[in-house]
Amino acid sequence: MAEGQIIKALSGFYYVLSEGNVFQCRGRGVFRKQKVTPLVGDRVVFTATSETEGYILDIRERQNELVRPPIANVEQAILVFSAVSPDFSAKLLDRFLVLIESKEIAPIIVISKMDLLDGEAKDAIARYAGDYRRIGYEVIETSAVTKDGLDKLAAHLRGRVSVVAGQSGVGKSSLLNALRPDLRLKTGDISTHLGRGKHTTRHVELLEVAGGLVADTPGFSALEFDDIELDELPRYFPEFREYGEGCKFRGCLHVAEPKCAVREAAEAGDIPPYRYDHYLSFVAEMKGRKPRY
């Protein structure tokens, strides 16, 4: 018996990477009885029947699991947002951050196309980057053209399982191609419209990039907060946690409660006001959603 990690699932076969070799494996019937489907990213116990084939015997406990892409044990999400074309959207980034934090996946913010900026636009992006760094997020400013920031990004990929996410057209494929030119990913190959549309049926595969494994069809089935309860939302804004301890009421939602330290910090500029505005809009959105039964 040996251990490995599923890097691809296709037509009933699971391709298991173990000590540098890939084994084409079938799953034992026990999984069907337990109604467990092996996922890309699963750490498994398998037995080899030849130098290239085998059977999966057991699936180790999952650290986490995403529905779309169907993948397990993701350690970090590389959130790619372009500085321009499409323009940088802090609100969309905050939406991604909430979703990623709720899955207990470490986010890394990558701002692409920095070579297209100058003057005031560059200063504006630098201010955003500074804000997110102060909150505690890793922010990497990159360019697939000038190669700036690629070494830093590669260092974060090494030895880890990552998904890459972001709007269509932000340069996800270009960055991965710059890190590993032989991939030759077509621009637009990686998640179109956040994983919906024509790419939803594509198989998920973990590609070896910069000494780590990167999912080639990331994207989230929806960017709605359906799996998050309203009282959980504040914990996915890390800077709120620190100030929240000073709120008068335990379980303060930081909206209209008296003596709310988070609201005071936002008014004083200690919390970026736009982050607080985004939080309020997410609260309103969650309050307005249909009840679940």
Side-chain angles (χ1 to χ4, degrees):
M1 286 195 295
E3 295 204 16
Q5 189 163 31
I6 298 175
I7 57 167
K8 182 166 73 169
L10 195 60
S11 307
F13 286 103
Y14 302 98
Y15 295 82
V16 177
L17 177 66
S18 178
E19 296 182 357
N21 298 312
V22 176
F23 295 83
Q24 179 180 283
C25 295
R26 289 262 190 208
R28 284 287 192 201
V30 65
F31 299 126
R32 282 191 291 280
K33 288 193 196 110
Q34 295 169 350
K35 295 189 174 160
V36 174
T37 304
L39 290 176
V40 169
D42 270 332
R43 296 182 184 94
V44 298
V45 178
F46 72 101
T47 183
T49 54
S50 74
E51 287 183 9
T52 56
E53 296 180 329
Y55 281 98
I56 293 173
L57 304 174
D58 193 21
I59 299 172
R60 297 295 190 205
E61 188 180 346
R62 288 170 183 158
Q63 178 186 325
N64 53 45
E65 175 181 338
L66 296 175
V67 176
R68 189 175 297 161
I71 188 170
N73 300 316
V74 174
E75 292 172 86
Q76 62 187 8
I78 311 299
L79 303 180
V80 183
F81 279 72
S82 51
V84 287
S85 185
D87 288 341
F88 182 81
S89 168
K91 187 172 185 180
L92 186 59
L93 173 56
D94 287 343
R95 185 175 280 274
F96 267 104
L97 288 169
V98 166
L99 289 163
I100 290 300
E101 296 250 0
S102 75
K103 299 284 186 189
E104 297 185 358
I105 296 170
I108 291 176
I109 300 166
V110 171
I111 303 175
S112 62
K113 306 186 186 180
M114 288 298 293
D115 56 293
L116 300 179
L117 288 188
D118 54 26
E120 284 180 26
K122 199 166 191 173
D123 293 342
I125 292 295
R127 282 194 294 275
Y128 278 121
D131 286 344
Y132 285 99
R133 285 188 183 114
R134 276 188 291 279
I135 291 165
Y137 290 114
E138 182 70 40
V139 183
I140 305 173
E141 291 151 278
T142 65
S143 164
V145 176
T146 65
K147 307 290 191 278
D148 284 350
L150 293 188
D151 286 351
K152 203 170 176 186
L153 177 56
H156 281 284
L157 295 177
R158 199 163 294 125
R160 310 194 77 186
V161 177
S162 310
V163 294
V164 182
Q167 280 174 291
S168 187
V170 293
K172 299 182 290 290
S173 301
S174 301
L175 284 175
L176 290 181
N177 283 336
L179 287 166
R180 187 183 150 185
D182 66 304
L183 281 179
R184 295 189 185 89
L185 292 171
K186 290 194 202 82
T187 305
D189 264 7
I190 295 194
S191 76
T192 296
H193 194 51
L194 309 170
R196 284 171 283 203
K198 64 182 178 179
H199 292 292
T200 50
T201 55
R202 279 189 60 201
H203 71 276
V204 178
E205 184 173 355
L206 286 170
L207 302 169
E208 292 190 70
V209 179
L213 295 172
V214 178
D216 82 326
T217 53
F220 298 83
S221 55
L223 282 170
E224 281 75 50
F225 301 129
D226 292 342
D227 295 333
I228 301 172
E229 297 300 333
L230 184 56
D231 62 355
E232 294 173 350
L233 184 62
R235 82 171 76 141
Y236 304 133
F237 281 74
E239 70 273 41
F240 286 20
R241 293 198 288 263
E242 178 192 340
Y243 291 102
E245 291 173 12
C247 291
K248 182 178 180 183
F249 295 104
R250 221 168 143 188
C252 182
L253 199 56
H254 316 312
V255 177
E257 298 89 339
K259 296 194 176 167
C260 169
V262 167
R263 198 168 68 247
E264 288 167 8
E267 286 166 2
D270 296 326
I271 286 174
Y274 61 86
R275 284 271 291 173
Y276 182 66
D277 289 345
H278 299 162
Y279 171 78
L280 290 180
S281 78
F282 297 161
V283 168
E285 178 185 325
M286 292 171 83
K287 281 182 172 175
R289 68 188 174 191
K290 294 188 179 79
R292 287 177 289 171
Y293 299 103

